[in-house]
Amino acid sequence: MKEGFRRVGILDDIRGLCVVLMVGYHALYDLVDIFGLDVPMFRWGVTSFARTLVAATFMFIAGITCRFSRSNWKRGGLTLLAALALTVGTLLVMPSQQIWFGILHFMGSAMLLFALLDPLLSRVSTGLGVGLCAGLFLLFYGVEWGVLGFPGLWEIALPQRLYTIGWLFPLGFCAPGFFSADYYPLLPWIFVFLAGSYVGIPLRDSRAPSWCYPTRSRALTWVGRHAILIYLLHQPILFVCFQLLIRLVG
């Protein structure tokens, strides 16, 4: 965080809570998809919704904190390196769970895009910026499924040619056979990130309500400040713990 800016404690608390929920979801995922156990809770609609909400919250907060960063180029580059290590690790250790463009890949790419576009983005007012991002998110929501808009509600079919070009998967255009165990393409999620970057302006300038700034939970704050490290380590730890538990029970 840049010197001279007041730390927004509630962001650490919310991010810490999201990390806890993420670990819980991945524990369910591992039990069902890797160890083949029947866990009904994993199939609940509310579980899937919570997963998406947590991921979107991570993106939104990452967008906010871009306004506090000393260098989004460096931050984005380091995040992409961590994402690359994750891809290599999944390919070598567990190919069935390979990750090609997960949330870390998204975050790193979004940070670099923000660093590149910041002079242009800063010309747009906060309210207008958030509104435009919300509209564009709704417009591009269905890209992964081949349409603009919301599949089944209102939609415009996109050219299928876009979905035959293998290297366009970071944008949401998935070629047949593409698989990534964790997948958050730039379209539409970049607009959640950029909406956060606009909300970050009043927070950075201490123009937000006073309750945003103090922290409320030391534990959640610690977790929130170490989110990337926990993200990289929690799956191997969960896997080992479940292996040991299954051997003990079995």
Side-chain angles (χ1 to χ4, degrees), residues 154-177:
W154 55 273
E155 58 185 60
I156 301 172
L158 288 167
Q160 288 305 301
R161 169 65 180 162
L162 293 171
Y163 297 86
T164 63
I165 305 172
W167 51 268
L168 287 182
F169 67 87
L171 293 176
F173 305 113
C174 305

Side-chain angles (χ1 to χ4, degrees), residues 22 26 51 55-56 58-59 79-80 82-88 90 97-111 144 169-172 178-187 189-190 193 231-232:
M22 173 197 69
H26 284 163
R51 170 184 178 269
F58 273 128
M59 297 172 191
T79 304
L80 273 183
L84 177 61
L86 184 64
T87 296
V88 172
T90 55
Q97 300 297 317
Q98 60 190 263
I99 297 175
W100 286 102
F101 206 81
I103 197 163
L104 275 188
H105 302 75
F106 168 85
M107 293 287 199
S109 301
M111 291 169 192
E144 189 178 342
F169 67 87
L171 293 176
F178 172 80
F179 172 77
S180 180
D182 187 37
Y183 184 52
Y184 290 97
L186 290 168
L187 296 175
W189 299 108
I190 187 64
F193 181 95
Y231 182 86
L232 290 172

Side-chain angles (χ1 to χ4, degrees), residues 29-247:
Y29 178 91
D30 291 351
L31 289 172
V32 173
D33 252 44
I34 298 176
F35 293 96
L37 300 181
D38 182 22
V39 185
M41 182 180 178
F42 183 72
R43 299 190 297 272
W44 294 353
V46 68
T47 303
S48 179
F49 175 77
R51 170 184 178 269
T52 302
L53 180 61
V54 165
T57 303
F58 273 128
M59 297 172 191
F60 191 76
I61 291 177
I64 290 174
T65 55
C66 273
R67 297 293 181 180
F68 295 82
S69 177
R70 294 187 182 93
S71 172
N72 284 298
W73 289 109
K74 179 179 178 181
R75 186 169 168 243
L78 290 174
T79 304
L80 273 183
L81 284 176
L84 177 61
L86 184 64
T87 296
V88 172
T90 55
L91 286 172
L92 292 177
V93 178
M94 196 173 292
S96 64
Q97 300 297 317
Q98 60 190 263
I99 297 175
W100 286 102
F101 206 81
I103 197 163
L104 275 188
H105 302 75
F106 168 85
M107 293 287 199
S109 301
M111 291 169 192
L112 294 178
L113 282 172
F114 175 83
L116 178 66
L117 299 175
D118 186 28
L120 179 62
L121 296 171
S122 295
R123 297 181 182 180
V124 180
S125 67
T126 298
L128 179 59
V130 171
L132 286 173
C133 288
L136 289 169
F137 175 82
L138 295 175
L139 177 63
F140 286 99
Y141 181 80
V143 164
E144 189 178 342
W145 297 279
V147 299
L148 292 177
F150 273 76
L153 294 178
W154 55 273
E155 58 185 60
I156 301 172
L158 288 167
Q160 288 305 301
R161 169 65 180 162
L162 293 171
Y163 297 86
T164 63
I165 305 172
W167 51 268
L168 287 182
F169 67 87
L171 293 176
F173 305 113
C174 305
F178 172 80
F179 172 77
S180 180
D182 187 37
Y183 184 52
Y184 290 97
L186 290 168
L187 296 175
W189 299 108
I190 187 64
F191 299 112
V192 175
F193 181 95
L194 293 178
S197 76
Y198 282 107
V199 173
I201 295 174
L203 287 170
R204 177 197 62 191
D205 298 341
S206 298
R207 291 189 282 115
S210 58
W211 52 262
C212 293
Y213 296 95
T215 58
R216 288 163 177 77
S217 169
R218 186 173 298 178
L220 287 180
T221 294
W222 186 89
V223 172
R225 292 182 182 182
H226 297 84
I228 290 182
L229 179 62
I230 294 172
Y231 182 86
L232 290 172
L233 295 179
H234 79 283
Q235 279 287 41
I237 293 173
L238 284 175
F239 184 80
V240 170
C241 289
F242 286 145
Q243 283 276 30
L244 292 174
L245 183 61
I246 288 173
R247 288 184 181 181

